[in-house]
Amino acid sequence: MVETKRLTQAVDHFADRLRAAPQSRLQRGAAAEALGLARDFARWAQRVEDPSGEPRELPDAGMFAVADQITVAVHDLELVLRSDAEVEEALELVAGAQKRAGV
């Protein structure tokens, strides 16, 4: 079994920062960055689960929901990760998104 605890912690931290961020920061791009990460994770998980299927796009549920969306998306992804290298790749995606979001 692949160890995903650090990934869960990283996403939980990012989600907490988003929840604490002022609306103005979310509007200036933090929410869009988080939604992009959630969509990337959702597509990744879908490609692993059904390589021949067309991935469905995670809907935009609004800037106040993105913290929950990245949390749900990463839990789905964690179920299909197969290696520590994939966990590291996901961690890099989280770190990059959080830096770009400025939270």
Side-chain angles (χ1 to χ4, degrees):
M1 182 170 188
V2 177
E3 177 57 52
T4 59
K5 183 178 180 179
R6 290 186 315 136
L7 180 56
T8 299
Q9 290 172 337
V11 169
D12 286 348
H13 180 263
F14 187 17
D16 288 344
R17 298 295 304 234
L18 288 164
R19 289 182 187 104
Q23 182 175 347
S24 60
R25 175 147 337 247
L26 295 173
Q27 289 172 321
R28 285 194 310 265
E33 192 63 50
L35 178 60
L37 178 65
R39 285 178 169 167
D40 288 345
F41 283 170
R43 277 191 300 273
W44 185 352
Q46 289 176 58
R47 282 192 312 265
V48 172
E49 290 176 332
D50 185 10
S52 63
E54 182 67 29
R56 297 164 311 281
E57 184 164 300
L58 186 70
D60 182 346
M63 71 177 135
F64 298 114
V66 294
D68 294 329
Q69 287 182 290
I70 61 171
T71 301
V72 169
V74 80
H75 288 298
D76 288 346
L77 179 63
E78 289 173 333
L79 294 172
V80 300
L81 290 176
R82 297 180 179 145
S83 70
D84 291 335
E86 288 179 332
V87 173
E88 292 301 319
E89 181 181 348
L91 280 165
E92 289 174 17
L93 291 173
V94 174
Q98 186 169 354
K99 183 176 181 179
R100 289 186 299 277
V103 294

